[in-house]
Amino acid sequence: MKGVVAVLALAVLGGCASFSPAPAPSDNWTRWVCDSQAEVLWRFADSSQQQVDVRLGGGDQVYRLKAEPGASGSLYSDGVLAFHSKGDEGLVYWVATNDLIGRGCKAP
């Protein structure tokens, strides 16, 4: 019985040793501050610029938004959060409630 426990313990420890967490995303985030003082960190998630990653307020949650058809500028959404940029500024809002997080977002 002790031998079985020892083998299981070694298997668990071996499994932990081979576990490697997902690589952290690179820190090439663009930082914008909105008129509401909301901080928006964003970056293109792919080379074709069809997806962006967005973080709000420097938080850990990353929203992966996909390009949507828009009138002018670039609109990205995941159905929860929307990010619209035009030139060197933009706006961010919650899609379901249409609650504005911030407009006039741009580099400080």
Side-chain angles (χ1 to χ4, degrees), residues 7-49:
V7 169
L8 287 174
L10 286 174
V12 168
L13 289 174
C16 291
S18 65
F19 174 76
S20 57
S26 60
D27 285 334
N28 57 343
W29 294 92
T30 299
R31 180 177 175 265
W32 281 358
V33 177
C34 306
D35 61 352
S36 62
Q37 299 307 304
E39 180 183 48
V40 178
L41 300 170
W42 68 277
R43 65 181 176 193
F44 290 109
D46 62 351
S47 59
S48 64
Q49 299 183 355

Side-chain angles (χ1 to χ4, degrees), residues 33-105:
V33 177
C34 306
D35 61 352
S36 62
Q37 299 307 304
E39 180 183 48
V40 178
L41 300 170
W42 68 277
R43 65 181 176 193
F44 290 109
D46 62 351
S47 59
S48 64
Q49 299 183 355
Q50 293 299 304
Q51 297 182 9
V52 295
D53 289 335
V54 175
R55 290 174 34 208
L56 301 175
D60 291 336
Q61 183 171 2
V62 176
Y63 298 88
R64 174 70 50 97
L65 311 180
K66 295 180 181 178
E68 300 279 338
S72 63
S74 299
L75 176 64
Y76 299 89
S77 178
D78 64 354
V80 174
L81 184 72
F83 174 75
H84 182 252
S85 66
K86 185 175 180 183
D88 59 352
E89 67 178 60
L91 64 92
V92 182
Y93 60 93
W94 298 112
V95 173
T97 58
N98 206 25
D99 284 338
L100 185 65
I101 295 168
R103 71 175 62 148
C105 307

